[in-house]
Amino acid sequence: MEKSDRGLFGTKIGVILATAGGAVGLGNVWRFPFVTGQNGGAAFILIYILCVLLLGLSVMLCEMIIGRHAHANTARAYTILANGKPWKWIGYLGVLTSALILGYYGVVSGWTLQYVFSSLTGHIHGTPEVFKDQFQSFISHPIEPILWLAALMGMAHLIIVRGVEEGIEKASKIMMPLLFILLIVLMCSSLMLPNAMKGVEFLFKPDFSKVTGKTFLEALGQAFFSLSIAMGCLCTYASYFSKDTRLTTSALQIAGLDTLVAILSGLVIFPAALSVGIQPDSGPSLIFITLPNVFEQAFGSVPVIEYIVSFSFYLLLTIAALTSFISIHEVSTSFLREELHIHRKNAARIVSCYGIILGALCSLSMGERNWLTLFGMNLFDFFDWFTANCCLPIGAFFTCLFIGWYVDRKIISDEMSNWGTIKAPHLHVFTFMVRFVCPVLIFIIFLHQFGVI
Ligand code: PHE
């Protein structure tokens, strides 16, 4: 297949917005603020930024080097650089990981879309118990969440089939600025509440007494997930970068935007929650049970504002989820397209149908169909657990070793310096990080997750 008919991102801003869109996802909104609050506020943010700069960026760069060098889907990109050695299986693992994430991430993204609709029709009202019951009965319903998943899949599908520049890039250029506008509007609404400063203080007041060894592992795990490392997304998107895209600068900008969204989300959630005296939690219950209650109590006295705030918030979540969802969809689409030599449209069709089936099974496993289990977990929890705790660390670990020890140094320095046209003074630091520091730390996180240390 010709390189040119794969498509390339057309503009620098397109590269940044599309790739940052892949990275900015639900993790930024429903996990980062909570983990920050739990782990010493600004002290954690500092450690997080260090983890992103020293470790996250290095692994991002590894994936970008592989993708841009090969100009091919993730499996083929690793295969090209592996020269017949088993390293190619890391590429296949990346594709598999994204294909497994596709199902359950689609289900959650479908929930966010449903809540956009409910907030539009003014249906998000009640007491904490009502919100909880509404959410529980919605997610365990046999059909409704699957229809929302299909709707979300339809949106992603329509964007993907238009191609890299006309589809993914154009959509990101609309969705990402909108995401920032929504975040800023929501942040201002939150900060104007009485006692909002309590939330700002909680988020930003450094409390070094809460920092332990575990804090570093939390920060590193969150950084890797948030930057979409080892899911094939970065490698796939980098395969659409042109020869003059500066990898290090782009990685820095993408990581910067991702961190900014995470911090701004904290400035939406904590001031609003603490202003009405509610302690925020994390995950789906934060988004679908706790926050509707916070919005109701904080903004309920002016119904129009409550309406606007909850609609904007769920729209923000849907955009964050959709851009990430597109990036994992594209990993499988480009894989099928290039390996089966089929048209992008057909590849996308197969992936969309597969995603709906897998998502439907995940969704059903949370309702009456409680026989849909694997290793004692329902399918939804199993895929979440398996990808986050097994696939991602294994993929990231071997990617570092691959670039650090196996791939030809010349390829790496060419990719980092755009064939000698720009300076790459950090090359030695990068090599040191991916050879020694990153693999050791990823291994420690892996052991920590399984309770070994
Ligand atoms: N970085 C994403 C997030 O924060 C993680 C992700 C990307 C998950 C793509 C799934 C698909 O949510």
Side-chain angles (χ1 to χ4, degrees):
M1 189 164 295
E2 288 295 312
K3 279 179 185 174
S4 55
D5 71 322
R6 298 182 75 248
L8 287 176
F9 290 124
T11 56
K12 265 189 208 156
I13 185 80
V15 164
I16 305 301
L17 292 182
T19 319
V24 170
L26 295 172
N28 298 57
V29 186
W30 81 20
R31 218 176 108 76
F32 180 86
F34 174 76
V35 186
T36 304
Q38 289 289 303
N39 285 282
F44 178 83
I45 296 183
L46 252 169
I47 295 169
Y48 179 83
I49 292 175
L50 271 178
C51 286
V52 168
L53 287 178
L54 293 176
L55 301 156
L57 271 183
S58 307
V59 194
M60 277 177 93
L61 274 171
C62 290
E63 288 195 43
M64 287 181 166
I65 289 171
I66 298 169
R68 209 238 328 236
H69 173 78
H71 280 296
N73 70 75
T74 302
R76 187 176 295 201
Y78 278 77
T79 306
I80 290 172
L81 281 170
N83 279 326
K85 295 275 166 19
W87 293 105
K88 70 175 183 188
W89 294 111
I90 320 164
Y92 284 89
L93 177 67
V95 177
L96 175 76
T97 308
S98 73
L100 295 180
I101 294 177
L102 197 70
Y104 79 83
Y105 205 77
V107 174
V108 189
S109 309
W111 297 346
T112 63
L113 193 57
Q114 198 274 338
Y115 271 69
V116 171
F117 183 74
S118 295
S119 59
L120 251 188
T121 52
H123 274 87
I124 306 187
H125 278 298
T127 58
E129 287 69 40
V130 171
F131 292 126
K132 193 169 176 194
D133 288 347
Q134 267 178 354
F135 179 60
Q136 286 302 343
S137 66
F138 167 62
I139 64 169
S140 52
H141 193 279
I143 304 187
E144 241 189 279
I146 300 176
L147 294 180
W148 288 104
L149 156 71
L152 184 106
M153 186 67 83
M155 291 159 73
H157 184 91
L158 287 178
I159 294 170
I160 296 258
V161 289
R162 298 178 82 97
V164 175
E165 196 177 347
E166 286 299 302
I168 300 174
E169 182 172 348
K170 262 198 181 155
S172 308
K173 279 182 176 166
I174 299 170
M175 289 198 280
M176 291 307 283
L178 183 58
L179 179 131
F180 275 97
I181 294 172
L182 289 170
L183 257 178
I184 289 168
V185 169
L186 283 164
M187 183 185 74
C188 294
S189 323
S190 261
L191 290 177
M192 277 177 339
L193 289 168
N195 291 326
M197 281 308 134
K198 268 194 206 162
V200 178
E201 214 177 90
F202 186 66
L203 195 62
F204 287 128
K205 205 172 134 206
D207 180 357
F208 286 97
S209 68
K210 287 194 182 150
V211 175
T212 59
K214 232 181 123 186
T215 314
F216 285 86
L217 296 182
E218 284 270 4
L220 197 56
Q222 172 67 15
F224 277 12
F225 184 78
S226 192
L227 296 171
S228 295
I229 280 167
M231 303 175 185
C233 305
L234 289 168
C235 185
T236 305
Y237 274 13
S239 75
Y240 304 131
F241 289 4
S242 68
K243 291 278 169 212
D244 51 314
T245 301
R246 295 169 180 232
L247 295 189
T248 313
T249 316
S250 305
L252 257 172
Q253 288 167 335
I254 294 157
L257 285 179
D258 186 67
T259 308
L260 183 66
V261 172
I263 294 176
L264 291 180
S265 302
L267 285 174
V268 173
I269 293 169
F270 275 93
L274 296 190
S275 113
V276 291
I278 294 174
Q279 196 63 38
D281 46 358
S282 76
S285 64
L286 167 72
I287 302 298
F288 300 108
I289 301 172
T290 311
L291 285 182
N293 181 31
V294 168
F295 294 154
E296 171 112 8
Q297 294 199 29
F299 301 103
S301 55
V302 193
V304 186
I305 308 258
E306 189 198 342
Y307 183 84
I308 296 174
V309 166
S310 64
F311 171 68
S312 309
F313 181 72
Y314 289 108
L315 186 61
L316 163 86
L317 276 180
T318 304
I319 295 174
L322 181 61
T323 48
S324 292
F325 189 69
I326 289 171
S327 74
I328 30 169
H329 192 301
E330 178 62 20
V331 176
S332 299
T333 301
S334 67
F335 172 74
L336 289 184
R337 177 176 170 258
E338 286 161 19
E339 299 312 309
L340 302 180
H341 301 283
I342 54 178
H343 197 276
R344 168 177 267 281
K345 271 195 182 133
N346 292 332
R349 274 188 200 129
I350 300 174
V351 177
S352 297
C353 291
Y354 152 83
I356 292 178
I357 295 171
L358 187 68
L361 290 174
C362 289
S363 179
L364 287 172
S365 76
M366 281 183 293
E368 302 286 291
R369 312 288 184 282
N370 44 17
W371 45 267
L372 281 169
T373 55
L374 269 177
F375 301 101
M377 287 176 248
N378 68 39
L379 283 188
F380 184 96
D381 291 340
F382 173 76
F383 286 126
D384 181 15
W385 174 85
F386 181 66
T387 50
N389 296 319
C390 304
C391 302
L392 299 187
I394 293 174
F397 177 78
F398 285 107
T399 297
C400 292
L401 295 185
F402 182 47
I403 287 287
W405 297 98
Y406 180 76
V407 172
D408 187 355
R409 300 287 84 211
K410 168 95 174 65
I411 293 180
I412 294 168
S413 75
D414 280 351
E415 288 294 335
M416 301 269 285
S417 68
N418 283 3
W419 297 267
T421 57
I422 53 172
K423 287 202 181 100
H426 43 273
L427 192 61
H428 294 297
V429 183
F430 169 72
T431 310
F432 179 73
M433 296 307 286
V434 295
R435 277 196 171 172
F436 304 104
V437 185
C438 296
V440 170
L441 284 173
I442 296 169
F443 191 64
I444 294 176
I445 298 187
F446 187 65
L447 295 183
H448 174 69
Q449 273 163 351
F450 284 92
V452 181
I453 52 170

